[in-house]
Amino acid sequence: MTTIAPDTTNAARLPDDLARAVADPNAYADIDALHEKLKLIRRDHPFARSDLPDYAPFWVASKFDDIQSIARQNDLFLSGLGALTTRQMAATMSASGQGFRSVVGMNAPDHVKYRLLTQAWLAPKNIRKLEDSMRVLARRYVDRMAEAGGEIDFVRDVAVHYPLLVVMAILGVPAEDEPMMLRLTQEYFGNSDAEMARRGAMTPEEVQAGLKETLAEVMAYFRAITEDRRHRPADDLASVIANGRIDGELLPEIDSLGYYITIAFAGHDTTSSSTAGGMWALAERPDQLAKVKADPSLIPNLVEESIRWTTPVQQFVRVAARDAEVRGQTVRKGEQVVLCFPSGNRDEAAFEDPFAFRVDRQTNKHVAFGYGPHQCLGMHLARMEMAIFYEELLPRLKSVELAGTPRRTITNFVGGPKTLPLRYELA
């Protein structure tokens, strides 16, 4: 049987250097340089196709409106691939298997069924009961900043710990397991970064072997949690997952593992990145710090601006279920479309002065939580965590500045600052 390749002669082409900026995990370590290239993509190639030799062909959706439109059409543009990977890495992953299935990557009819398992638990009216315990944790880390004597690495000493402990409390897993959970999260999302990957080495085979080892450790840990909660259910999310039923049946292990990973890993890593990104921005902009300190009612605006500014989920890949048209271009069935969230969140057509960090930005309907049916389940929790932390920190924070050069994680998927040296004065 002869396979006829789709006719792409009239497709808008994305220059290789710009395509590589979207695809290459290393590009996200230099966020300012990346945004300069994304600016060019939005201006000259708003929806265009890449044919990089080491990647399967992919389209890049760089404009805010296009990202929203594609994301809401979940029956036309299917989820399931996460972030872009090279052909070699994709082949390695396919051969070894991932070992779990996440609600983030599901499509109809499973997606809605699985999402409903935890949707009510994570609704605003339910998570308000967590406010007092969150505030105790936030205050503890502000006190640690005071005890540190005015200089810390905000990521390593504060940002990665506070949201993780909140998520662990919600899941109902022991707080003393926090160092292990932090290590596993960093190994999972930082698998393209030699400083964070399990094995340090970066060949596709070694990266995948490290990921398999990490997932095996996670699977063993949460298998024990599941067994415990089925015998001794509690008022926590682990019990919801362990005892949840789809079509009358308990979740298969690959699905329960995927749920645990989504909540335990993505649920805290994105919040820690956004909090660190906000502190980085404030350290460089004393006028914005002064503005929000003078008017604490701006804290919700600061939270949204921190999330927009950092955009910790950097891309999701969708696959066309059938031929589709976007911005006058034909996307063929089976082709990949990258939702480039950092680009959408700096789109000049969607945001006034998008390259300014403004704590008083009033209209901030960013796409950092995704959009449409797959919009982040934990977004209300993330906002609440960040607001409480800022409420505890800002009244005591007299000044803050960078004490060195921050560095970002090498990843094209979920990431943000991995070091943030700060010098500050606290009351």
Side-chain angles (χ1 to χ4, degrees):
M1 178 178 176
T2 302
T3 300
I4 300 175
D7 179 11
T8 59
T9 54
N10 294 319
R13 298 290 178 166
L14 188 62
D16 285 358
D17 64 321
L18 299 180
R20 201 161 293 283
V22 173
D24 186 358
N26 290 281
Y28 294 79
D30 187 347
I31 196 67
D32 291 335
L34 174 65
H35 276 301
E36 287 302 311
K37 291 188 176 180
L38 294 179
K39 191 186 300 184
L40 293 176
I41 293 175
R42 286 193 301 276
R43 187 189 71 189
D44 300 332
H45 314 279
F47 188 78
R49 188 177 189 272
S50 164
D51 288 294
L52 291 174
D54 46 338
Y55 289 83
F58 61 90
W59 295 82
V60 175
S62 65
K63 297 288 288 179
F64 181 90
D65 287 346
D66 293 341
I67 291 169
Q68 283 198 332
S69 175
I70 293 166
R72 84 164 61 93
Q73 298 179 77
N74 201 45
D75 59 335
L76 178 56
F77 295 100
L78 304 178
S79 299
L81 293 184
L84 282 170
T85 58
T86 63
R87 292 179 187 271
Q88 185 177 3
M89 178 62 78
T92 302
M93 292 172 67
S94 177
S96 61
Q98 192 171 21
F100 71 91
R101 199 169 71 116
S102 169
V103 65
V104 176
M106 292 179 184
N107 296 290
D110 287 350
H111 175 249
V112 172
K113 296 177 184 179
Y114 277 79
R115 188 179 175 93
L116 287 173
L117 281 179
T118 59
Q119 186 167 279
W121 212 99
L122 293 166
K125 65 179 181 180
N126 195 51
I127 61 172
R128 287 193 195 102
K129 66 185 180 183
L130 306 170
E131 180 176 350
D132 290 345
S133 59
M134 280 189 204
R135 200 167 292 281
V136 168
L137 278 173
R139 196 171 296 142
R140 178 196 305 174
Y141 280 95
V142 175
D143 288 342
R144 288 189 183 180
M145 290 178 66
E147 294 162 4
E151 195 163 322
I152 58 166
D153 185 320
F154 184 80
V155 171
R156 294 176 178 175
D157 298 332
V158 177
V160 297
H161 300 290
Y162 162 63
L164 177 55
L165 286 170
V166 170
V167 167
M168 290 179 68
I170 289 170
L171 276 170
V173 299
E176 56 266 28
D177 292 344
E178 190 240 4
M180 177 197 68
M181 295 296 291
L182 177 59
R183 172 179 58 80
L184 293 173
T185 303
Q186 292 176 334
E187 289 174 359
Y188 181 71
F189 285 127
N191 63 80
S192 297
D193 192 318
E195 293 181 356
M196 302 176 78
R198 189 178 184 100
R199 294 189 170 196
M202 288 292 104
T203 67
E205 291 77 16
E206 288 165 329
V207 169
Q208 187 61 17
L211 277 174
K212 285 190 70 175
E213 291 169 8
T214 295
L215 289 173
E217 192 173 347
V218 174
M219 185 179 293
Y221 181 81
F222 282 114
R223 186 181 291 125
I225 295 291
T226 296
E227 183 69 18
D228 176 76
R229 292 306 192 279
R230 286 182 178 170
H231 288 91
R232 289 176 291 277
D235 183 20
D236 55 38
L237 265 182
S239 296
V240 173
I241 296 167
N243 297 288
R245 292 179 179 270
I246 300 294
D247 297 331
E249 300 292 332
L250 291 169
L251 272 63
E253 186 175 72
I254 61 168
D255 292 348
S256 60
L257 176 63
Y259 233 129
Y260 287 128
I261 288 175
T262 299
I263 292 170
F265 288 8
H268 97 265
D269 197 74
T270 51
T271 306
S272 65
S273 291
S274 295
T275 306
M279 287 301 296
W280 183 347
L282 290 175
E284 294 182 321
R285 297 164 178 82
D287 62 317
Q288 297 300 302
L289 176 61
K291 188 174 292 188
V292 72
K293 279 178 62 63
D295 183 2
S297 70
L298 292 174
I299 286 177
N301 303 69
L302 169 60
V303 168
E304 295 303 323
E305 186 71 338
S306 298
I307 296 167
R308 179 191 76 89
W309 190 255
T310 310
T311 311
V313 179
Q314 290 156 165
Q315 61 180 242
F316 269 124
V317 174
R318 297 295 183 92
V319 176
R322 54 188 182 274
D323 288 1
E325 184 174 302
V326 178
R327 200 173 277 270
Q329 299 293 310
T330 300
V331 181
R332 300 297 182 187
K333 178 181 178 180
E335 290 188 328
Q336 299 180 105
V337 179
V338 178
L339 304 183
C340 187
F341 297 125
S343 179
N345 280 340
R346 301 286 178 98
D347 187 348
E348 298 83 353
F351 298 93
E352 180 184 352
D353 200 9
F355 285 86
F357 183 90
R358 289 172 24 188
V359 299
D360 58 355
R361 188 180 296 277
Q362 296 301 312
T363 303
N364 201 349
K365 295 182 179 180
H366 56 73
V367 287
F369 288 123
Y371 191 76
H374 274 89
Q375 192 168 34
C376 177
L377 267 168
M379 61 184 177
H380 305 299
L381 178 65
R383 287 171 169 138
M384 185 174 173
E385 288 177 72
M386 292 178 66
I388 287 173
F389 181 80
Y390 286 137
E391 287 166 5
E392 293 298 322
L393 173 65
L394 294 179
R396 299 174 59 182
L397 185 64
K398 294 182 178 180
S399 64
V400 63
E401 62 183 10
L402 296 180
T405 303
R407 293 188 298 138
R408 289 176 56 94
T409 304
I410 297 172
T411 178
N412 65 357
F413 192 20
V414 177
K418 68 176 177 181
T419 67
L420 181 57
L422 294 181
R423 186 178 300 111
Y424 53 89
E425 185 179 359
L426 277 180

